[in-house]
Amino acid sequence: MESKSEFLSHSMRWYGPRDYIKLETLKNHGIENIVSSLHHIPVGEIWTIDEIKNYRSLIEHSGLKWTVVESLPVHEDIKTQAKGFEKKIDDYKQSIENLASQNIRTITYNFMPVLDWLRTHHREPYQNKGFTLSFNRDHIVYFDLYHLRPHNSKKWYTEKEQEIAFHLNEKLSNKEKTRIVKSILQGLPGDSENFTMDSMLKLMEPYTSIDKKQLQEHLLYFLDQMIPVAQENEVNMVIHPDDPPFSVLGLPRIVGTENDLTEIFESNPSLSNGLCFCSGSLGSHHENDVLKIYSKHAHRIHFLHLRNVKKRKTYHFFETDIFEGDVKMKKLMQLIYNHYQTNSLKVPMRPDHGLLLHEESRLNVYPGYSLMGRLESLEELKHLENEIGST
């Protein structure tokens, strides 16, 4: 039963029938709302009304609701404005309209080139509880210089970075090198295949002539096309921050800082041009004040990802328990509550990622998406929510 002190709409991400976690299991653990995507449809193809209906029926048959799309992926041709990209723009508009026709009105997307969220270590030991995700940019540079583009990637890195990579290549064991390569090439949970060196290079090739400014222009063009359709259909388009929120492998990233977000929202001030506020993604950039960003954009935050991170140094971080990291989660939850008090609208929230607890460590679980780790995070967040909401 819902507590009167709760002011968030609790949800959990589910990766479809291939997910090792069953809908009935989520229902039995008190989950009511599902965040999901039509992972079986190739990126760029229209989400038809029949496909949306069938997927929604699958979820509703288990007594759950499909409330948020995460994600409606943006094809690389749109990001690079490759020849013929206008057709993919039109198809994306049609998918928005089809989702709205089925009363699904929060659509998450991102504009990260080639790579979605990325970590260099998927099972770093964490305290005595299990394992966590971490990111070490030195390992990214090493991967690029000694595996991906050994003959033509030096231009992306300083002499100091190249020196660090050289020493890593000398001292890392073969097992450690293999672990780094596998971590970086691993596909996302909804994908059926991992990257290969060749497939990654092929996807990266169009970006050799696209810098940050040009990619920003492409995003703003995309928004100029999509937001009027979203407004007309009472849909909130919510952009997910880049993760990590800085350049990797020389690829530009444009949704990582407060300044990036300000440019996006000032260019198209409609509230349908919204934000998926991910405390972990934003919290892993050394320049960001997460609480300030929330306060500034609260009126257009239509979806929340709550998790915590600890920065080791610039461009190096690992994920933590909800209360252990750099993000002041209690202060953030207070800001969320204050905004709820103003508009009385429950924003969908899900715990993002989660520790891999020892109890599940033997399972073939996609990094960050174990059941027990995410449920533990959700319970901690609900406890904090009730504490704040009842005072």
Side-chain angles (χ1 to χ4, degrees), residues 9-11 32-36 65-69 103-107 348:
S9 176
H10 308 130
S11 59
E32 297 179 351
N33 303 304
I34 293 297
V35 174
S36 197
K65 296 178 182 179
W66 185 18
T67 54
V68 177
V69 167
N103 201 33
I104 300 174
R105 302 184 186 277
T106 301
I107 300 175

Side-chain angles (χ1 to χ4, degrees), residues 123 150 197 382:
R123 287 198 174 201
M197 298 289 188
K382 288 168 69 174

Side-chain angles (χ1 to χ4, degrees), residues 247-259:
S247 176
V248 291
L249 300 176
L251 294 166
R253 294 216 165 187
I254 57 173
V255 195
T257 66
E258 180 182 349
N259 288 339

Side-chain angles (χ1 to χ4, degrees), residues 64-310:
L64 299 160
K65 296 178 182 179
W66 185 18
T67 54
V68 177
V69 167
E70 186 180 355
S71 297
L72 180 55
V74 180
H75 197 279
E76 294 298 317
D77 286 356
I78 293 176
K79 299 173 191 174
T80 61
Q81 294 196 356
K83 184 178 180 180
F85 80 98
E86 294 88 352
K87 172 66 166 57
K88 291 185 172 63
I89 287 278
D90 290 338
D91 289 348
Y92 200 99
K93 292 177 183 177
Q94 187 63 60
S95 294
I96 292 174
E97 292 175 356
N98 291 348
L99 283 163
S101 76
Q102 301 307 301
N103 201 33
I104 300 174
R105 302 184 186 277
T106 301
I107 300 175
T108 314
Y109 70 102
N110 72 67
F111 221 74
M112 289 181 256
V114 182
L115 303 167
D116 206 297
W117 71 270
L118 178 68
R119 299 292 183 270
T120 54
H121 201 325
H122 290 164
R123 287 198 174 201
E124 178 174 318
Y126 182 79
Q127 299 177 7
N128 62 348
K129 298 184 65 172
F131 306 93
T132 190
L133 304 167
S134 66
F135 181 88
N136 183 328
R137 189 171 184 274
D138 294 339
H139 289 173
I140 290 284
V141 179
Y142 157 76
F143 167 80
D144 200 359
L145 289 172
Y146 289 91
H147 295 275
L148 185 64
R149 298 178 292 186
H151 302 298
N152 62 355
S153 61
K154 288 186 177 180
K155 62 182 178 181
W156 300 112
Y157 307 112
T158 66
E159 289 187 7
K160 180 64 174 177
E161 289 172 326
Q162 293 178 46
E163 181 182 344
I164 291 171
F166 172 80
H167 288 298
L168 284 172
N169 189 52
E170 292 291 309
K171 74 175 186 179
L172 289 174
S173 68
N174 288 335
K175 182 178 180 180
E176 289 171 318
K177 292 177 179 179
T178 299
R179 188 263 302 164
I180 292 169
V181 171
K182 287 182 65 176
S183 295
I184 295 171
L185 291 178
Q186 183 158 348
L188 291 172
D191 295 341
S192 57
E193 297 180 354
N194 293 335
F195 287 105
T196 65
M197 298 289 188
D198 288 342
S199 67
M200 184 176 285
L201 285 170
K202 184 177 180 180
L203 288 167
M204 289 171 63
E205 199 279 331
Y207 289 95
T208 57
S209 58
I210 296 176
D211 61 12
K212 179 173 181 176
K213 184 175 185 299
Q214 190 170 357
L215 188 62
Q216 286 173 324
E217 291 171 355
H218 292 180
L219 171 58
L220 299 186
Y221 175 85
F222 174 78
L223 292 172
D224 285 344
Q225 294 294 309
M226 297 304 158
I227 297 306
V229 178
Q231 280 184 299
E232 184 177 342
N233 288 274
E234 299 181 337
V235 164
N236 292 319
M237 296 288 295
V238 293
I239 192 166
H240 189 289
D242 298 338
D243 186 11
F246 36 78
S247 176
V248 291
L249 300 176
L251 294 166
R253 294 216 165 187
I254 57 173
V255 195
T257 66
E258 180 182 349
N259 288 339
D260 292 338
L261 294 174
T262 297
E263 180 168 352
I264 291 166
F265 300 133
E266 286 185 352
S267 74
N268 199 316
S270 166
L271 292 185
S272 290
N273 182 19
L275 174 62
C276 170
F277 183 88
C278 180
S279 58
S281 296
L282 295 170
S284 55
H285 197 293
H286 61 285
E287 293 180 359
N288 285 338
D289 181 332
V290 173
L291 302 181
K292 180 182 177 183
I293 291 174
Y294 179 86
S295 297
K296 184 174 183 178
H297 299 295
H299 59 294
R300 65 174 72 250
I301 293 171
H302 307 301
F303 185 28
L304 290 160
H305 287 184
L306 297 183
R307 61 182 172 89
N308 217 331
V309 294
K310 188 77 174 177

Side-chain angles (χ1 to χ4, degrees), residues 340-377:
Y340 168 76
Q341 289 286 86
T342 301
N343 63 19
S344 299
L345 179 66
K346 284 193 172 187
V347 175
M349 176 277 289
R350 73 170 180 87
D352 192 18
H353 303 171
L355 300 175
L356 178 59
L357 305 181
H358 286 302
E359 293 86 342
E360 286 187 292
S361 62
R362 294 183 182 274
L363 299 178
N364 185 26
V365 176
Y366 190 88
Y369 285 94
S370 62
L371 176 63
M372 294 179 66
R374 286 185 294 159
L375 286 175
E376 181 180 86
S377 294

